[in-house]
């Protein structure tokens, strides 16, 4: 059973949302010793390729967003030695999938999130995220530590189409 105290964690696994938003997150909300999963690195590697063109959206400038995502990936690669998704995490992933189905959710839509959660469980680390709802149904396996999602200076409000 994961620890359920209100004390700050000394160690923790950061999900992808934390890495993307980290420069705007209050460091007090993060553990002293931070780790990431190789799955997070995979998501960050895909990020620059998933930027939508300016004509398809009006939330960001495509070139600035691609540069921002590339910088996030480069920082993660230089700062972290990712924890691999190994055999133990793969075994845990089965339990995680069962828990998500039991909670009435569809695991196929959350494969990366569930693999990150399985890594946290296999490593016995709390999981820090700005999206705690992504991990609903897993509370008995892993301690989910919600982190305040900051307002981003580069996000625009969607305009009329």
């Amino acid at each position: 059973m994961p620890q359920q105290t209100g004390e700050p964690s000394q160690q923790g696994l950061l999900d992808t949302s934390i890495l993307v938003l980290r420069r705007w997150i209050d460091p007090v909300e993060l553990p002293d010793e931070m780790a990431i999963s190789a799955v997070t690195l995979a998501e960050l590697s895909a990020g620059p390729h998933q930027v939508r063109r300016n004509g398809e959206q009006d939330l960001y400038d495509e070139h600035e967003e691609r540069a921002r995502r590339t910088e996030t990936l480069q920082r993660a690669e230089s700062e972290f030695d990712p924890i691999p998704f190994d055999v133990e995490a793969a075994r845990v992933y089965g339990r995680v999938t069962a828990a998500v189905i039991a909670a009435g959710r569809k695991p196929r839509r959350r494969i990366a999130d569930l693999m990150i959660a399985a890594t946290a469980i296999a490593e016995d680390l709390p999981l820090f995220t700005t999206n705690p709802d992504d991990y609903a149904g897993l509370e008995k396996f892993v301690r989910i530590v919600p982190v305040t999602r900051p307002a981003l200076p580069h996000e625009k409000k969607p305009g009329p189409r």
Side-chain angles (χ1 to χ4, degrees), residues 121-136:
I121 295 164
E123 297 292 323
D124 195 27
L125 292 170
L127 180 57
F128 287 72
T129 181
T130 62
N131 302 317
D133 291 345
D134 287 353
Y135 302 99

Side-chain angles (χ1 to χ4, degrees), residues 38-117:
V39 177
T40 290
L41 196 58
E43 286 192 294
L44 293 175
S45 295
H49 305 290
Q50 296 173 328
V51 172
R52 295 186 337 213
R53 293 190 173 130
N54 288 335
E56 299 172 355
Q57 55 76 36
D58 59 2
L59 296 176
Y60 52 76
D61 174 76
E62 70 177 292
H63 305 290
E64 291 174 7
E65 184 64 18
R66 190 170 291 109
R68 206 174 357 268
R69 290 181 186 198
T70 300
E71 181 181 346
T72 299
L73 169 62
Q74 291 169 338
R75 285 183 187 278
E77 288 173 329
S78 70
E79 290 181 39
F80 295 97
D81 184 17
I83 299 170
F85 185 81
D86 61 9
V87 173
E88 183 59 27
R91 289 183 182 124
V92 169
Y93 183 80
R95 289 195 333 252
V96 165
T97 299
V100 168
I101 292 169
R105 304 184 78 209
K106 297 186 188 230
R108 290 190 70 100
R109 304 185 92 192
R110 308 208 120 57
I111 291 173
D113 291 334
L114 300 182
M115 290 175 76
I116 292 167

